Amino acid sequence: MNGRGDSALQAVLARPALERRLVPALRLVLDLLRTVERSAGPILDLVIRFALAQTFFISGLLKLGNWEVALQLAREEYPVTWLDPVTAAYTGVGIELLCPILLLFGLATRVAALPMLILALVIQFNYRALDTHLLWAALLGWYVVRGAGALSLDALLSRGLRRSALPLAGAVLKVTEAMTRWLSDPYLLLLRLWLAAGLALPLLASSGAGNWLPFASFATLPVGAAVPLAVLLTLGLASRAAAVVLMVLVAGSAMMGGVTLPAPGWLTLLLALLAIVGPGALSLDAALVRLLQGSFPELAGRPAFDLAGLPRVVIVGAGFGGLACAAALRRVRASVTLIDRHNYHLFQPLLYQVATTALSPIDIALPIRGLFREHFNTRVLLGEVSGVDTARREVILGEQRIPYDYLVLATGASHSYFGRDEWAAHAPGLKQVEDATEVRRRLLLAFERAEAAEDEEERRALLTFLIVGGGPTGVELAGAIAELARFGMERDFRRIDPTAARIILVQAGPRLLPALPEALSHKATVALQRLGVEVLTDSRVESIDGQGVRVNGQAIPARTVLWAAGVVASPAARWLGAEADKAGRLKVTPNLSVPGRPDVFAIGDTAYAEAWQGQAVPGLAPAAKQGGVYVARVIRARIEGCDAPPPFTYRHLGSLATIGRKAAVADFGWVRLSGAPAWWLWGVVHIAFLAGLRNRVSILFDWIWSYLTFRSGARLITGESATSNTPTAETLSERRQYHG
């Protein structure tokens, strides 16, 4: 074969390696740009509208308060040849008072921005030429062309108006959408050329072009920096980066040189708009993206390869491990099927906050399909897995059978009552959203029934809350209930004092949080006791019924009992007929496959793996995610014929537990924290682990609000039996059953 053929062959053979390195990086950059535009864009849009509205509205108020001055300006300073001075004064003040209000709220934005744009140009060419007026006009022109963003009444009302009976509403919306579609890119091109001319042609400042171009705004920039940036803006190449650099240079030049720029704030807003929105389709940036998307279709959300005949990977369970595994397989040449009994991914570590009214279920759950919307090789199925046919390599999903070449079991765990399942009716645990809402119902109903109780002993029993289990869930539940009683509803009742509620935490072992160092365990105990929680260690629960709990031979009247003492794995081991430990977890090999079944893997709470310095991997979210990513690497290596990765090793990232609103404990091995620093770290870590930007923002604002106001979320009592504090054993048993 000749040299040219050898080169072509080498290029073909190198393409998968190139894709593995280049495509993830490009996808990350494009996703980041889209995320910035979607999240920061509406906020910047609101800031710009507020700034413009404030400037024009204040000007209108000043003129209205000094009407003679306004008339004089209309006659002498900036007369409009085609309008009578009095009419011009009334028109100008009317525009400055009415249009800014519409612009601020984003109502009829284009209609409001157009008169303001004309007024800005009249001031520039009939009164006094300043960069400020030109920048106003540039920003207002954007709103005439594009309209307001997502944080506006236009965006809020558009869907309803489109389907309303209002005359011409649909036609007007179609026209505005057409303007956005056809004029946005040409306007961005003109905007870039306008800024580039102001940067690169300062010699024209003394000519008539000085009235049209923002020369003064860039006067302090050195030519060596201005000209290259002008070229980049003209070509639309690395436009976002050029806009950011310009923002920094203009601000830095003004501060270091002691130069007062004419309109640094307006210029910064305009450059920020270009940095976030981008250069538009008429640019080299857009052409380069189109070229890359043509070479790598997955960058455009299109299938990069045909799924027919590819290896089939079935993942059962959309918890932390299942999601991590599916996400890591997004670019592998495989057909991936993700199955879960719910249509949402649940962030279980914050379930206790839903149970204690601090958060809403929607804050800690995210639809699975939305997470995999752009994963063309991943199919999401809603259903209840009842078994696995290993002989035929099929997952049993109701009446349907899903074939697999590789099976990943990430089925999680449910509550374990250590053989005393009759306790389930009286002591619910926390594993699902339904569990959290049931616990919330019981907690709130206990206070309501105590308010109505006539018997003092019954009232005390109703206001006694007992949590079984001193692990992280039990500690966090006890602290949250104490906070709820003392700071959330202390003024809501007339006959009872919620702050007198008795919270008891029972731990069978000698100390709380046995997985943490003893010093941190002691600090957690002290923090709980400061909140008024009674901590009973070395205490064995002997019985639980509708009247209360018997602990170490002593009966404790408690109408609300919560279970946080243990879990049992899903029936995955029974499906496979494989060996399991006492908690029902599948014993797996060093590569997390089931012994004797190299095509079946188990991760998270489903698996028992001695991969943590010879110890069992803990049932934590980071462990499940690490396992999911590792199994994806194993499957990828087998599909691509590469060397298998080394045996799985769990990397412990630390343990955290929070106690109330200002204390927590954290152990990272090399450092240990407690108190407020650990509490802040706990909050940051949990927000970072959440799936979805909306959930992170929502929880952040909820936490800030409740922290500053001592107010929790809506305390609604819901459920099948809103007046009964003890559901039937059958109901809870059905709720606790695992279905894949």
Side-chain angles (χ1 to χ4, degrees), residues 288-367:
L288 181 60
V289 170
R290 288 192 294 268
L291 178 63
L292 290 171
Q293 289 175 341
S295 301
F296 307 107
E298 58 267 44
L299 294 177
R302 299 192 303 271
F305 44 81
D306 186 4
L307 298 179
L310 293 181
R312 299 159 298 186
V313 181
V314 176
I315 303 171
V316 183
F320 291 105
L323 287 189
C325 185
L329 292 170
R330 65 184 300 181
R331 281 179 284 272
V332 177
R333 293 181 178 271
S335 175
V336 181
T337 301
L338 179 61
I339 305 173
D340 197 272
R341 65 174 301 197
H342 300 294
N343 74 330
Y344 56 84
H345 165 69
L346 180 65
F347 191 78
Q348 287 187 349
L350 290 180
L351 266 177
Y352 83 95
Q353 293 215 2
V354 176
T356 54
T357 77
L359 296 175
S360 166
I362 195 175
D363 291 329
I364 63 170
L366 200 67

Side-chain angles (χ1 to χ4, degrees), residues 400-413:
Q400 187 179 7
R401 286 176 172 255
I402 310 298
Y404 69 84
D405 295 301
Y406 300 98
L407 174 62
V408 182
L409 297 173
T411 45

Side-chain angles (χ1 to χ4, degrees), residues 120-275:
L121 294 176
V122 168
I123 297 173
Q124 173 73 3
F125 294 103
N126 289 53
Y127 175 45
R128 187 178 180 185
L130 293 174
D131 279 9
T132 299
H133 307 145
L134 290 175
L135 294 168
W136 289 350
L139 292 168
L140 289 166
W142 174 253
Y143 286 109
V144 172
V145 169
R146 186 73 173 262
L151 301 177
S152 66
L153 288 178
D154 283 344
L156 181 65
L157 300 175
S158 61
R159 186 173 182 180
L161 288 173
R162 191 186 308 278
R163 292 166 175 79
S164 71
L166 293 175
L168 300 179
V172 171
L173 287 174
K174 288 182 179 179
V175 170
T176 58
E177 290 171 357
M179 289 178 62
T180 300
R181 186 167 56 253
W182 295 107
L183 298 181
S184 293
D185 293 323
Y187 189 82
L188 285 170
L189 173 60
L190 291 175
L191 188 62
R192 295 190 342 255
L193 295 176
W194 180 70
L195 289 171
L199 268 169
L201 303 174
L203 295 178
L204 297 178
S206 58
S207 67
N211 293 335
W212 289 94
L213 297 174
F215 294 116
S217 295
F218 300 117
T220 60
L221 295 187
V223 176
V227 173
L229 290 172
V231 172
L232 291 177
L233 287 176
T234 301
L235 298 176
L237 181 63
S239 303
R240 287 183 168 94
V244 172
V245 171
L246 268 175
M247 292 167 60
V248 174
L249 287 178
V250 169
S253 179
M255 289 187 295
M256 295 178 63
V259 179
T260 302
L261 295 177
W266 298 111
L267 180 60
T268 299
L269 289 176
L270 186 59
L271 291 171
L273 180 67
L274 186 60

